[in-house]
């Protein structure tokens, strides 16, 4: 992978130092700028192209949320803040992750892995297909990914639910997850994978997919919320 160029926007020198140290520990990250306020960063971004912003939220003159709304460029963003209650708004603005200070190194690495996965996916998109073949009743049928609503595990089989029909085929849920594009599908329960582009919203412990109610496991919920927000759809708790 090519080097990921980063900038830090944070009015706390200690917080800047922590992020700088973490960046320096990973060879594929490169810090190309550090700013005490968002206005200075806007001027920098008008002439420079970067891949990733580590962005504080509470800052003087222009806070991180409004800064992100104001810029015309679209680098990837990881929020770094001491306040958890901004998390939902951060994901609505398509932030990759939301790191709460003091930031442990393992959480920094987890966030960076999300960035790498997204970059890798974009790089592979031109080579990817938009459909798959499934063996059903001794024949293979072609199914477009966009037509799949969700997939349910039935032990050694899976039930593939489309907009107008469903079928059962021999495959495991984990095996299916490896084949499906992460730009459209995510596992939300030990027994379910959904096409999150069809999600109408999240309420409590369920996800609405068209007219279907899909359970969501506790360990999958945060990532599912993030994916749905990143598609620009409306979701609620």
């Amino acid at each position: 992978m090519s080097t990921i160029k980063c900038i830090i926007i944070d009015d706390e020198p200690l917080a800047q130092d922590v992020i700088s140290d973490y960046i320096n520990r990973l060879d594929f990250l490169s810090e190309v700028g550090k700013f005490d306020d968002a206005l200075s960063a806007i001027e920098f971004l008008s002439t420079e192209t970067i891949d990733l912003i580590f962005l504080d939220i509470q800052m003087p003159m222009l806070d991180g949320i409004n800064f992100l709304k104001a810029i015309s460029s679209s680098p990837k963003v990881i929020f770094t803040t001491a306040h958890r209650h901004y998390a939902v708004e951060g994901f609505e603005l398509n932030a990759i992750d939301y790191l709460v200070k003091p930031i442990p190194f393992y959480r920094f690495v987890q966030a960076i892995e999300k960035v790498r996965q997204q970059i890798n996916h974009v790089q592979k998109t031109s080579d990817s297909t938009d459909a798959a073949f499934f063996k059903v009743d001794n024949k293979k049928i072609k199914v477009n990914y966009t037509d799949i609503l969700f997939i349910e595990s039935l032990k050694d089989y899976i039930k593939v639910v489309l907009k107008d029909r469903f079928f059962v085929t021999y495959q495991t849920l984990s095996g299916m997850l490896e084949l499906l594009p992460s730009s459209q599908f995510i596992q939300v329960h030990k027994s379910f994978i959904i096409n999150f582009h069809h999600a109408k919203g999240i309420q409590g412990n369920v996800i609405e997919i068209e007219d279907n109610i899909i359970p969501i496991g506790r360990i999958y919920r945060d990532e599912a919320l993030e994916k749905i927000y990143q598609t620009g759809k409306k979701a609620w708790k």
Side-chain angles (χ1 to χ4, degrees):
M1 170 185 282
S2 58
T3 300
I4 300 173
K5 296 193 297 182
C6 315
I7 64 171
I8 303 168
I9 308 176
D10 199 311
D11 62 333
E12 299 176 12
L14 180 59
Q16 288 186 2
D17 291 343
V18 169
I19 298 298
S20 289
D21 174 56
Y22 288 174
I23 289 173
N24 290 331
R25 296 186 195 185
L26 301 177
D27 294 338
F28 55 87
L29 297 183
S30 173
E31 181 187 317
V32 297
K34 188 184 299 182
F35 304 92
D36 298 326
D37 63 88
L39 293 178
S40 299
I42 287 178
E43 184 177 350
F44 176 85
L45 290 172
S46 67
T47 58
E48 302 291 337
T49 301
I50 58 101
D51 303 306
L52 175 63
I53 301 175
F54 293 97
L55 180 61
D56 188 20
I57 291 182
Q58 287 197 327
M59 292 183 290
M61 294 185 287
L62 182 64
D63 64 43
I65 295 290
N66 287 311
F67 160 82
L68 195 54
K69 292 177 180 178
I71 60 175
S72 57
S73 59
S74 55
K76 300 185 186 306
V77 172
I78 295 174
F79 277 118
T80 59
T81 179
H83 304 281
R84 295 178 181 274
H85 61 274
Y86 290 112
V88 170
E89 189 170 5
F91 285 133
E92 286 178 336
L93 292 170
N94 295 332
I96 301 295
D97 208 337
Y98 188 94
L99 302 180
V100 179
K101 301 173 183 176
I103 301 167
F105 184 59
Y106 84 91
R107 276 293 291 121
F108 179 87
V109 172
Q110 286 178 341
I112 294 301
E113 283 303 308
K114 292 181 182 180
V115 174
R116 296 181 75 183
Q117 288 172 12
Q118 286 202 11
I119 291 175
N120 284 335
H121 174 72
V122 170
Q123 292 173 342
K124 294 176 181 178
T125 298
S126 59
D127 299 324
S128 63
T129 60
D130 57 3
F133 284 88
F134 294 88
K135 186 176 182 181
V136 181
D137 297 330
N138 296 319
K139 66 179 181 179
K140 289 188 176 181
I141 61 173
K142 183 179 180 180
V143 177
N144 292 326
Y145 290 137
T146 55
D147 292 334
I148 299 175
L149 299 181
F150 64 90
I151 299 170
E152 181 180 0
S153 173
L154 304 173
K155 294 187 177 180
D156 293 331
Y157 292 81
I158 55 171
K159 178 181 179 181
V160 181
V161 179
L162 310 179
K163 294 180 180 180
D164 56 355
R165 67 188 192 282
F166 72 87
F167 59 84
V168 174
T169 186
Y170 183 73
Q171 175 64 279
T172 62
L173 198 70
S174 59
M176 197 66 235
L177 188 62
E178 292 180 4
L179 299 175
L180 294 169
S182 60
S183 60
Q184 296 181 59
F185 295 90
I186 187 172
Q187 185 169 1
V188 298
H189 185 275
K190 64 180 181 179
S191 299
F192 288 92
I193 295 170
I194 68 164
N195 183 337
F196 53 83
H197 290 273
H198 291 295
K200 291 182 178 180
I202 299 176
Q203 187 170 21
N205 294 319
V206 299
I207 298 178
E208 296 180 24
I209 304 287
E210 297 293 326
D211 296 326
N212 302 280
I213 301 299
I214 308 299
I216 180 170
R218 179 178 55 83
I219 63 173
Y220 303 99
R221 191 173 191 276
D222 288 345
E223 189 174 359
L225 264 176
E226 181 180 348
K227 288 285 189 181
I228 291 172
Y229 280 134
Q230 287 177 352
T231 62
K233 293 184 180 295
K234 299 296 183 181
W236 59 91
K237 289 187 175 181

